[in-house]
Amino acid sequence: MTRILAHYLIETAGDPRQAAELMAGEQSAGTFVKVPGETPELLEAHGARIEALTLLDAVDAPALPGAKPPKSPDSQYQRGQVTLSFPFANIGASLTTLWSTVAGNLFELNPFSGLKLLDVEIPPEIADAYPLPAFGVEGTRRLIGVTERPLFGTIIKPSVGLTPEQTADLVQTLCDAGLDFVKDDELQTNAPHSPLAARVAAVMRVVNAHADRTGKQVMVAFNVTGDLDEMRRGHDIVLAHGGTCIMVNMLAVGLVGVTELRRHSQLPIHGHRAGWGMFARHPLLGIEYPAYQKFMRVAGVDHLHVNGLQNKFCETDASVIASARECLTPMPGVGAVVLPVFSSGQSARQIPDTYRTMHSTDWLYLAGGGIMAHPQGPAAGVRALQQSWEAAREGIALADYARTHTELAGALERFGA
């Protein structure tokens, strides 16, 4: 019988094995007391099991409030890594039930002063029941027409406040500068000052005219985040105007929202993770992004935001790269690998480090302010990214390449070398 593995980091004032046993019971057939019907046969068939327990360091103070204190004043809080396995029979082919199983009430159990889901191994039996990514890396490259290098894009800035016509004017500049990808900000959906239908119509007139003139179809990810019917209508508007991508705020609409949008969609889905910090910022609480993104890959997202190197947030470079590499790691039963999206405080200066660290060109690099705030204007910001990539590809230091490339020099002066 298939068992589903989930890996955790824990901290407890009690015995770590007893704490792990509580986790297993709480998330399968058990509860806080024995109940009638809890037979050995039932527990054997439906109980979660401890597959591994590795003790780590001990600390004097709890990571989180509300947990049971140690029995002795001089005792410590023990940390460890736990692997639990859950019977597939408990869950079936359901992502929502899997989420409730591996990331449900566990975080509230008072024996724990720290608990974080590090990873989950989703079996093909669940993936088979879902639509999965329709495009991923390969399909996105095919639509954009770029095969040999990273994809470069931007976010519309100011993030909110521009009219549809002003947005289209900015997109015209970006298209003419040779950008591959443009997206709405996560805050811009269907607001009164820029209704989605009007914005799509205005922007796609520019994009389609550019494609007719040059043969290059710039991909624009329109933010269709909303209620289910609203997202479906938004998708249909984008499709009717010749658009090639939609965007959704994954945490805002949840697993069901993403799944149902994917079942309807004929376009790549660009997954934004707005709000992610509440799940991951504390080292002993929440869920690691590589675990979360597996759920969204099965649900059918084609592009996944992973932050960026030397970003404006609090995430470390090592964490960013781990998430990006996970996007490109095949999952059993899923098929297409998905496109990692580097964003957050990116400019021309981080491209060489991203290339060296990824050992791949399968990524989308978004610079919002890094393009829009270039001292010579947005078009120069785009060219600075292109020049940074040229330097990275040739193994030339950015400072050296900037001596003969004024746009790159302007970016390094503005955003730091």
Side-chain angles (χ1 to χ4, degrees):
M1 180 177 62
T2 297
R3 297 189 71 87
I4 298 171
L5 296 178
H7 309 278
Y8 301 89
L9 175 66
I10 67 168
E11 180 185 281
T12 180
D15 177 70
R17 177 158 288 276
Q18 289 181 357
E21 289 171 352
L22 177 64
M23 293 171 66
E26 180 73 22
Q27 295 307 110
S28 59
T31 184
F32 70 100
V33 293
K34 283 286 186 180
V35 297
E38 195 175 327
T39 63
E41 292 78 16
L42 183 142
L43 292 177
E44 176 64 26
H46 296 281
R49 293 199 303 244
I50 303 171
E51 301 292 348
L53 172 60
T54 302
L55 299 183
L56 302 174
D57 58 320
V59 295
D60 294 328
L64 299 172
K68 287 182 177 179
K71 292 181 179 179
S72 171
D74 58 352
S75 296
Q76 292 184 298
Y77 293 82
Q78 178 67 54
R79 293 177 178 173
Q81 288 190 357
V82 176
T83 297
L84 300 182
S85 70
F86 302 90
F88 178 78
N90 290 12
I91 297 163
S94 170
L95 277 179
T96 52
T97 305
L98 178 60
W99 178 271
S100 299
T101 299
V102 302
N105 288 341
L106 286 172
F107 302 108
E108 299 180 69
L109 294 173
N110 64 19
F112 295 95
S113 54
L115 196 151
K116 193 159 199 170
L117 176 62
L118 300 178
D119 201 2
V120 59
E121 300 178 28
I122 302 178
E125 290 91 335
I126 292 180
D128 288 345
Y130 284 83
L132 309 178
F135 295 87
V137 172
E138 183 179 348
T140 300
R141 284 191 176 280
R142 183 175 63 251
L143 287 171
I144 294 176
V146 174
T147 59
E148 301 298 327
R149 59 166 173 80
L151 303 172
F152 296 108
T154 193
I155 308 101
I156 296 296
K157 301 289 183 180
S159 47
V160 293
L162 298 179
T163 66
E165 292 72 23
Q166 289 171 326
T167 304
D169 289 343
L170 180 55
V171 171
Q172 178 73 70
T173 299
L174 297 168
C175 287
D176 291 343
L179 210 57
D180 303 312
F181 183 97
V182 179
K183 80 170 191 69
D184 283 334
D185 191 84
E186 70 273 12
L187 302 175
Q188 180 65 69
T189 53
N190 192 23
H193 74 277
S194 183
L196 179 66
R199 190 167 72 253
V200 171
V203 168
M204 288 311 300
R205 278 196 298 270
V206 167
V207 171
N208 290 333
H210 179 80
D212 291 341
R213 187 170 65 254
T214 66
K216 180 178 177 62
Q217 180 78 30
V218 176
M219 179 174 281
V220 180
F222 293 97
N223 189 358
V224 301
T225 301
D227 297 335
L228 279 176
D229 287 343
E230 186 180 8
M231 291 194 293
R232 294 185 185 109
R233 287 194 298 269
H235 164 274
D236 293 348
I237 291 168
V238 175
L239 183 66
H241 284 84
T244 56
C245 191
I246 55 173
M247 172 178 144
V248 65
N249 294 339
M250 298 180 292
L251 292 170
V253 304
L255 271 173
V256 173
V258 172
T259 301
E260 292 308 308
L261 178 62
R262 167 63 186 93
R263 294 190 196 280
H264 180 81
S265 181
Q266 300 177 48
L267 300 171
I269 298 175
H270 184 90
H272 197 289
R273 67 180 203 178
W276 179 248
M278 75 178 89
F279 286 87
R281 186 165 186 176
H282 196 288
L284 266 295
L285 179 66
I287 176 172
E288 292 286 357
Y289 193 62
Y292 175 81
Q293 65 175 254
K294 288 181 178 179
F295 283 88
M296 288 301 164
R297 287 174 66 177
V298 174
V301 172
D302 297 283
H303 312 159
L304 281 163
H305 277 235
V306 298
N307 263 343
L309 298 186
Q310 301 129 49
N311 57 75
K312 66 183 180 183
F313 297 136
C314 60
E315 188 170 3
T316 66
D317 287 354
S319 175
V320 170
I321 292 299
S323 296
R325 288 176 176 165
E326 182 62 42
C327 291
L328 300 175
T329 301
M331 283 182 64
V334 173
V337 295
V338 296
L339 190 67
V341 181
F342 291 99
S343 186
S344 172
Q346 302 302 284
S347 68
R349 68 183 179 86
Q350 294 107 318
I351 289 174
D353 285 344
T354 305
Y355 179 46
R356 283 193 296 270
T357 312
M358 282 297 292
H359 311 295
S360 166
T361 58
D362 287 333
W363 35 278
L364 170 59
Y365 190 86
L366 298 183
I371 284 178
M372 302 301 180
H374 191 285
Q376 299 163 29
V382 174
R383 287 192 288 274
L385 260 63
Q386 296 165 341
Q387 292 163 2
S388 178
W389 163 245
E390 292 165 6
R393 184 188 59 204
E394 300 299 325
I396 302 171
L398 286 185
D400 294 338
Y401 206 69
R403 292 191 182 100
T404 54
H405 295 82
T406 58
E407 294 87 359
L408 178 58
L412 296 183
E413 181 177 358
R414 175 67 175 83
F415 306 112

